[in-house]
Amino acid sequence: MFAVVRTGGKQYRVAAGDKIVVEKLAGEAGEMVTLGDVLLAGEGAELKPVAGLTVSAEIIAQAKGEKVIVFKKRRRHNYRRRNGHRQQHTILKITAIGA
């Protein structure tokens, strides 16, 4: 069985046992979280109703993403700004899809 869930403004297609990297969620490693915003669910080519359906997941780790360099420059004005940013992520392992 698979489901499409929305968290952090993004959508993820998940199944039991999958590991996904999402925007930071509150919680420590080992805690269980419930993703309640299920958009679609199904088995094979058959779709199932999503009313009251939730996806439970376990937090594996809180991590940081790759560094992104933000560089601003204006020609001929001696203006240069360099800044780095590392986004906070949460790594989840999907344990079950069900009510």
Side-chain angles (χ1 to χ4, degrees), residues 27-65:
E28 297 293 323
E31 289 184 19
M32 297 296 289
V33 294
T34 302
L35 305 174
D37 197 1
V38 180
L39 305 174
L40 182 77
E43 182 121 24
E46 178 183 329
L47 297 179
K48 308 232 179 198
V50 296
L53 193 69
T54 60
V55 174
S56 53
E58 177 186 359
I59 296 177
I60 294 176
Q62 302 283 8
K64 285 186 172 183

Side-chain angles (χ1 to χ4, degrees), residues 4 8 10 16 20 30 37 47 51 54 62 66 97:
V4 176
K10 298 177 183 70
I20 59 172
D37 197 1
L47 297 179
T54 60
Q62 302 283 8
E66 293 294 316
I97 299 173

Side-chain angles (χ1 to χ4, degrees), residues 77-96:
H77 290 280
N78 195 28
Y79 174 85
R80 288 183 295 277
R81 300 291 181 265
R82 182 180 181 274
N83 196 1
H85 175 74
R86 291 183 71 186
Q87 187 67 34
Q88 300 280 339
H89 292 301
T90 300
I91 302 171
L92 296 177
K93 181 176 182 183
I94 305 301
T95 55

